[in-house]
Structures are given as C-alpha cells and as structure tokens.
Amino acid sequence: MTRAFDDLLAANRTFAGSFELAGFDGVAHAGVAVVTCMDSRIDPLGMLGLEPGDAKILRNPGGRVTEGALDALVLAVHLLGVNRILVVPHTQCAMATYTETELRDMVSASSGQDASWQSFCVVGDQVASLRKDVRKVRSHPLIANTVAVGGFMYDVHTGLVEQMF
Ligand SMILES: [Zn+2]
C-alpha cells in the first residue's frame, strides 16, 4: 500500500482525538448550499461565517452549475434542509483565464498524452455564465421559488463576496 497519505492519516488521528461532530445529522443547519470552485484559495465555510454542519458545499472547476451540481441541489433542497443557494465563482479563476484549447495543451504537455478529447467547463464571460447558472437553478422544476438563489463573486485578494444576481 502506498505511503503517500501517511501524513494525512496521522493528522486524522489527531482530528479524531478531539472529534466533536459525532451524532451530527446530515442536514444543512444554516439551510445553505454553496456551489463554488475547487480553487484552494477559497474557504467556503469560513468566507460566509459558517461552520461544519451548516452547509452543503459543491465544488468543481469554475464553480459551475453542472448537471451533477443540480442533482445535488435538488437533494439538498428536499432532503437536507437547504433553502438558500449561493453560486460563487471567483476572481482570477483558471477556468475563466484559459481557453479549452489552452487547457488541453497544458494537460497534454503535463501528461505526455493526447488530451484533445478531454472537455473542460471553461468560462468565456464569468458574469454571463453566472447569470446563466443562477437562472438554471431558479428555473429547475424541482427547486421551488421559495428557495433563495443568488449569484456572487468571491475576490481572492480581499476575501469579499459580492452579490451579482
Ligand atoms: Zn477557480
């Protein structure tokens, strides 16, 4: 078995040593779901003053409302207590910086394999994509309009979240 995870498992033993989340249910206690980017500069709970147990966090490159994210949001709304959905892309996102061709070229160079078949959810106009993504959630037949849906932009330099829609 690989030893690549040893440091993380050691850290987990420390984590479990003072574990306080036992017996938690899976409901989002603040009624919040956040769709955001996988970017490591983003702390989705911290940036909104939330704690473990408060929110459902869905992450992908770009913080896009993908089919998978929509599936999760439907479950979150109906089974997990979510009544507020935030879609939060961010400034300086690689998915809005590079074209799909550029990303394919970079992955090809890194892997030494042909990556021309790989698709990426690149974003041309972040604000236009956010508007579209918010509309996709709001218009979903299984997400009632009693659920608040907002589109926001996270600034990776200031930590500020600004509502756009
Ligand atoms: Zn990003």
Side-chain angles (χ1 to χ4, degrees), residues 27-56:
V27 166
H29 287 178
V32 170
V34 180
V35 181
T36 193
C37 185
M38 64 194 259
D39 194 296
S40 50
R41 291 170 290 189
I42 299 173
D43 171 4
L45 292 176
M47 74 183 183
L48 298 170
L50 300 173
E51 306 207 333
D54 283 344
K56 300 297 167 189

Side-chain angles (χ1 to χ4, degrees), residues 19-25:
F19 191 57
E20 290 169 355
L21 303 177
F24 244 39
D25 58 27

Side-chain angles (χ1 to χ4, degrees), residues 37-39 41-42 60-63 89-96 126:
C37 185
M38 64 194 259
D39 194 296
R41 291 170 290 189
I42 299 173
N60 59 45
H90 66 99
T91 59
Q92 301 203 330
C93 184
M95 300 311 289
Q126 266 190 313

Side-chain angles (χ1 to χ4, degrees), residues 73-153:
L73 290 174
V74 169
L75 292 172
V77 164
H78 292 284
L79 307 180
L80 303 167
V82 165
N83 54 24
R84 290 184 288 172
I85 296 171
L86 298 85
V87 184
V88 194
H90 66 99
T91 59
Q92 301 203 330
C93 184
M95 300 311 289
T97 306
Y98 302 107
T99 64
E100 189 164 67
T101 304
E102 288 170 329
L103 289 173
R104 284 173 174 156
D105 288 348
M106 287 189 277
V107 172
S108 290
S110 169
S111 65
Q113 305 286 325
D114 171 31
S116 62
W117 52 271
Q118 174 73 53
S119 64
F120 298 102
C121 226
V122 293
V123 176
D125 178 336
Q126 266 190 313
V127 175
S129 293
L130 179 57
R131 183 188 288 116
K132 209 171 99 190
D133 279 353
V134 167
R135 199 178 296 143
K136 212 188 277 185
V137 181
R138 284 188 183 141
S139 65
H140 194 287
L142 296 175
I143 298 176
N145 54 17
T146 49
V147 176
V149 183
F152 305 80
M153 187 65 67

